[in-house]
Amino acid sequence: MALKAISAKDAASLDKDLMEIGGWSLDQLMELAGLSVSQAGKYLAAPELQDYNVLVVCGPGNNGGDGLVAARHLAQYGYNPSVYYPKQGKNELYQRLKVQLENLCVPFITDFEAELQKTDFLVDAIFGFSFGGPLRAPFGEIVSQIEKSSVPVLSVDAPSSWDIQAGPPKEGPGATFMPKALISLTAPKPCVQYYRGRHFIGGRFLTRTIAEKYGLDLPQYQGIDQILEVGVDAEGRL
Amino acid sequence: MALKAISAKDAASLDKDLMEIGGWSLDQLMELAGLSVSQAGKYLAAPELQDYNVLVVCGPGNNGGDGLVAARHLAQYGYNPSVYYPKQGKNELYQRLKVQLENLCVPFITDFEAELQKTDFLVDAIFGFSFGGPLRAPFGEIVSQIEKSSVPVLSVDAPSSWDIQAGPPKEGPGATFMPKALISLTAPKPCVQYYRGRHFIGGRFLTRTIAEKYGLDLPQYQGIDQILEVGVDAEGRL
């Protein structure tokens, strides 16, 4: 199944349209985006929930917010999520999402390296389509550690450190970062052409009118699913 | 499976806790509540989506808001929902939910009687746990028409017209109203003891702490499901 990609500029404009014309609040969009991330996580994880540790690494912006929502749903599904959130967004929504997680007894960890050793699965919600580089501390080091570890990773919207247009950096942290899975929100970003792995689409709120405005495809989600596996072929084409 | 009921007063207090202590916004709670309603709708509907008409009847408050969210998800699932919303809440959230539906080309109908004739399924999102009676116009007439029709009904939180504690009214509209299905949000309301039909629970955001505070059970949702069928036995016990 082919799905057209959307540039970072158009993705920002589309989000603006959803909120300014479409009647959406950020709370609603983030809830459905994070829900779809959690569904991809569930799909990829082991069926035995007992003691299954998921480490959700959240960046300071909306990608991190999607991660916080995903962590909440993963906790509701019965996993043991923990959250690493070293640069916390000051936005009141992020703060509320944090309270929701604390009320579910989801730990906010500080020793990333130790947590990485004992996790079964990592959700990379560090940076999304608005990433313009370079990786500021501590995220360069974090990406390097994820890159070196053998933990399976689900990246949200884009592998963190990758340029949204040009893909993986030529050198430094992220140059060899290839997550096991990627979930594109609303539409794939151009860097997906450099990606090899399982690929999902999520964010089931796109309308036909907005899809047409940005020249996008409406994903053919099935039933009540909030995600669709779309794949990437050997040449990086969707 | 037994699930304890929650009184109208405690249900209002619980919602307040979720928002004042729990970090939740009404946008988020309504999104997950409406999503669970849509999943119960999908579960109950025919598998052939082609030309399957769903009429969502929305009241002026939060129950109606849950219905608006459900209608949006049902549209995304591929059904043909239409919405009857005769007393529209002025709250900006309801207005935004309406815009979201208009952008999906979901019609807001005015001729309820005509629409009832051609619908395959009706979602009763008129009144929830805060209903204190009596039914004001036009809802008495609407409930009477639903009651007389043979269209299968899914009621949201409580069959509209029923007293939340005492169940169906002794006479007048609703006295013989028995929806095919009911989805209780967060916890069943006491009137469920008078209910006979398929019974679901939804609203997967309850935490252990809040459940304990109100003496509720945490429903054992499965996998990524946002609903759980809990049933009602011959004596009206859950």
Side-chain angles (χ1 to χ4, degrees):
Chain A
M1 178 184 186
L3 280 183
K4 294 193 191 74
I6 188 169
S7 69
K9 193 181 155 195
D10 276 359
S13 170
L14 187 155
D15 271 5
K16 210 174 153 205
D17 281 353
L18 285 171
M19 288 189 272
E20 293 184 359
I21 309 166
W24 288 86
S25 67
L26 187 56
D27 279 53
Q28 292 169 328
L29 291 172
M30 201 168 271
E31 191 60 36
L32 293 183
L35 178 69
S36 64
V37 173
S38 74
Q39 291 196 354
K42 173 75 178 75
Y43 188 88
L44 294 162
E48 319 81 43
L49 297 177
Q50 207 71 27
D51 299 322
Y52 195 88
N53 299 319
V54 185
L55 174 55
V56 183
V57 187
C58 296
N62 285 346
N63 203 253
D66 296 338
L68 296 174
V69 172
R72 165 161 45 75
H73 286 290
L74 288 165
Q76 288 281 7
Y77 301 159
Y79 295 103
N80 298 327
S82 56
V83 175
Y84 183 57
Y85 193 23
K87 295 281 176 191
Q88 304 191 2
K90 300 232 181 313
N91 176 316
E92 64 89 34
L93 169 54
Y94 307 150
Q95 291 303 313
R96 286 193 286 103
L97 293 172
K98 203 182 153 196
V99 170
Q100 293 170 12
L101 286 164
E102 287 164 349
N103 289 342
L104 282 167
C105 304
V106 172
F108 280 74
I109 59 103
T110 51
D111 187 343
F112 176 76
E113 202 164 356
E115 199 74 12
L116 187 61
Q117 300 305 314
K118 57 183 182 190
T119 198
D120 299 300
F121 192 80
L122 188 142
V123 177
D124 154 29
I126 305 176
F127 295 113
F129 71 77
S130 57
F131 178 69
L135 283 170
R136 295 210 184 111
F139 295 110
E141 178 57 25
I142 298 300
V143 168
S144 288
Q145 287 190 44
I146 297 173
E147 207 172 2
K148 278 180 228 146
S149 91
S150 57
V151 171
V153 174
L154 168 66
S155 283
V156 179
D157 215 26
S160 295
S161 75
W162 285 27
D163 183 89
I164 299 308
Q165 197 72 34
K170 298 274 174 274
E171 52 183 10
T176 62
F177 182 33
M178 189 62 73
K180 181 180 169 185
L182 168 68
I183 179 164
S184 297
L185 297 173
T186 314
K189 307 306 170 293
C191 62
V192 82
Q193 65 182 295
Y194 302 97
Y195 175 69
R196 303 289 178 277
R198 295 186 72 171
H199 181 226
F200 299 84
I201 185 106
R204 196 172 180 177
F205 41 66
L206 196 60
T207 62
R208 188 167 299 281
T209 316
I210 291 195
E212 282 170 4
K213 175 172 173 181
Y214 292 95
L216 303 174
D217 305 292
L218 271 181
Q220 299 300 303
Y221 294 102
Q222 299 297 302
I224 61 170
D225 294 351
Q226 299 290 316
I227 57 167
L228 176 69
E229 185 158 13
V230 283
V232 180
D233 75 11
E235 278 76 47
R237 288 182 304 235
L238 297 176
Chain B
M1 174 181 192
L3 280 183
K4 294 193 191 73
I6 188 168
S7 68
K9 193 181 154 196
D10 276 359
S13 170
L14 187 154
D15 271 5
K16 211 173 153 207
D17 282 353
L18 286 171
M19 289 189 271
E20 292 184 359
I21 308 166
W24 288 87
S25 67
L26 186 56
D27 279 54
Q28 292 169 328
L29 292 171
M30 201 168 272
E31 191 60 37
L32 293 182
L35 178 69
S36 65
V37 173
S38 74
Q39 291 196 354
K42 172 75 178 75
Y43 188 87
L44 294 161
E48 319 80 43
L49 297 177
Q50 207 70 27
D51 300 322
Y52 195 87
N53 299 318
V54 184
L55 175 56
V56 183
V57 187
C58 297
N62 285 348
N63 204 253
D66 296 339
L68 296 174
V69 173
R72 164 161 45 76
H73 286 289
L74 288 165
Q76 288 281 6
Y77 302 160
Y79 295 103
N80 298 328
S82 57
V83 176
Y84 183 57
Y85 193 24
K87 295 281 176 192
Q88 304 192 1
K90 300 235 181 312
N91 175 316
E92 64 90 31
L93 169 54
Y94 306 150
Q95 292 303 314
R96 285 193 286 103
L97 293 172
K98 204 182 152 195
V99 170
Q100 291 169 13
L101 285 163
E102 287 164 347
N103 289 343
L104 282 167
C105 304
V106 172
F108 280 73
I109 60 103
T110 52
D111 187 343
F112 176 76
E113 203 164 354
E115 199 75 11
L116 187 61
Q117 300 306 314
K118 58 185 181 188
T119 198
D120 299 300
F121 192 81
L122 188 142
V123 177
D124 155 30
I126 305 177
F127 295 114
F129 71 78
S130 58
F131 178 68
L135 283 171
R136 294 210 186 111
F139 296 110
E141 178 58 25
I142 297 299
V143 168
S144 289
Q145 286 191 43
I146 297 173
E147 207 171 3
K148 278 180 227 147
S149 92
S150 57
V151 171
V153 174
L154 167 67
S155 283
V156 179
D157 216 25
S160 295
S161 75
W162 285 28
D163 183 88
I164 299 307
Q165 197 73 33
K170 299 275 174 275
E171 53 182 11
T176 62
F177 182 33
M178 189 61 74
K180 181 181 169 184
L182 168 68
I183 179 163
S184 297
L185 297 173
T186 313
K189 307 307 169 294
C191 62
V192 81
Q193 66 182 293
Y194 302 98
Y195 175 69
R196 304 288 179 279
R198 296 186 72 171
H199 181 226
F200 300 83
I201 185 104
R204 195 172 180 177
F205 40 67
L206 196 59
T207 63
R208 189 166 300 280
T209 317
I210 291 196
E212 282 169 4
K213 174 172 174 182
Y214 292 96
L216 302 175
D217 306 292
L218 271 181
Q220 300 300 304
Y221 294 101
Q222 300 297 303
I224 61 169
D225 293 351
Q226 299 290 317
I227 58 167
L228 176 69
E229 184 157 13
V230 283
V232 181
D233 75 9
E235 279 77 45
R237 287 183 302 237
L238 296 177

